[in-house]
Amino acid sequence: MTVGRGEKWPDWRRDVFGDPYLVWHDGPDFARLLSVARDEPEVVARMLGVGVAAADSLAAESIAALAGAGLAPSGAEALLRAALPAASGTFQVRVAQALHVLTGDESWAEPVASVLAEGAHWGERIDAATALAGFAPTPRLVEALARAVRDRHYLVRYHAANTLLRYAGRRTDVSTHPALFALIRSGDDDTEPDAEVTAQRAEAARRLSAAALSRQSVDPDRS
């Protein structure tokens, strides 16, 4: 999987996926990518190499989508492994996700958990919390997500809670668990949490951890 010199990744990206804002807002549609990959696999491999070199998260996501469809570009694993040491934020999350799809190795959850714990922006931590739902639950990941349930930003808490519910075997959204959701919503993003709010978030983390580790035997609204 080679990186072409002078290739215009932004133009190719727009042609395949459409307006960058809509891709960011609505999420990428990989239908056209899959079609192009069947007709022009070498072009797709080359352009995704350019995208990964530009640290574009969509390029890494695209490799995961292709791998899931049995169309992984040649050399994709080596390309992503080479990119990971310098990666950060959402790009790091997407590279690790793609490597997980390519290899089936659950240890690729570690770079994702690292972003969940240390992501500089709350949006990066949301992406990490959501991505961990695709990995096998382990006590280490449950602990990382439980810490995120105590995050200052509501949406990080919300998505971390939903991933823990997935680990517990529940497909429901945390908002369908009224008592638990009340704990998740406590406080706001702009105010340093007081002792009561801190305790409420800790209680939500405790209940969700118990449910995730026991796999459905605990009701997170009552545990």
Side-chain angles (χ1 to χ4, degrees):
M1 192 170 186
T2 58
V3 179
R5 295 183 179 275
E7 302 270 21
K8 294 185 177 180
W9 162 253
D11 294 340
W12 190 85
R13 184 190 202 273
R14 180 181 287 271
D15 180 60
V16 172
F17 295 101
D19 182 83
Y21 172 77
L22 293 179
V23 173
W24 170 80
H25 187 269
D26 300 334
D29 180 350
F30 294 107
R32 176 159 165 71
L33 174 71
L34 294 173
S35 176
V36 174
R38 292 185 180 97
D39 295 335
E40 301 179 308
E42 297 84 2
V43 171
V44 169
R46 185 172 68 251
M47 293 310 303
L48 291 180
V50 176
V52 169
D56 190 324
S57 300
L58 181 58
E61 274 191 280
S62 296
I63 293 173
L66 291 170
L71 297 169
S74 175
E77 182 181 343
L79 179 79
L80 294 169
R81 284 179 178 272
L84 189 59
S88 62
T90 297
F91 181 58
Q92 178 173 319
V93 169
R94 301 307 180 211
V95 169
Q97 280 185 293
L99 285 165
H100 179 231
V101 175
L102 283 164
T103 67
D105 185 347
E106 295 294 332
S107 70
W108 293 116
E110 287 304 315
V112 181
S114 175
V115 174
L116 180 61
E118 302 169 7
H121 189 272
W122 54 265
E124 297 171 351
R125 300 198 299 280
I126 288 173
D127 290 335
T130 304
L132 286 175
F135 290 84
T138 65
R140 162 82 177 89
L141 294 184
V142 170
E143 179 184 358
L145 287 158
R147 285 197 301 271
V149 171
R150 301 190 290 271
D151 195 275
R152 180 166 183 163
H153 289 271
Y154 162 70
L155 286 175
V156 177
R157 300 195 300 274
Y158 173 84
H159 287 285
N162 278 337
T163 292
L164 285 169
L165 286 175
R166 300 296 174 273
Y167 285 1
R170 297 169 185 266
R171 308 309 300 177
T172 54
D173 187 274
V174 68
S175 63
T176 66
H177 297 269
L180 183 63
F181 191 44
L183 298 173
I184 294 292
R185 289 184 300 149
S186 62
D188 59 63
D189 291 2
D190 300 321
T191 306
E192 192 67 30
D194 59 21
E196 180 180 1
V197 169
T198 298
Q200 288 173 332
R201 294 175 185 176
E203 175 62 12
R206 185 194 68 77
R207 293 186 189 188
L208 284 159
S209 296
L213 292 170
S214 61
R215 298 289 292 168
Q216 290 186 297
S217 65
V218 174
D219 182 345
D221 253 349
R222 296 193 175 122
S223 61

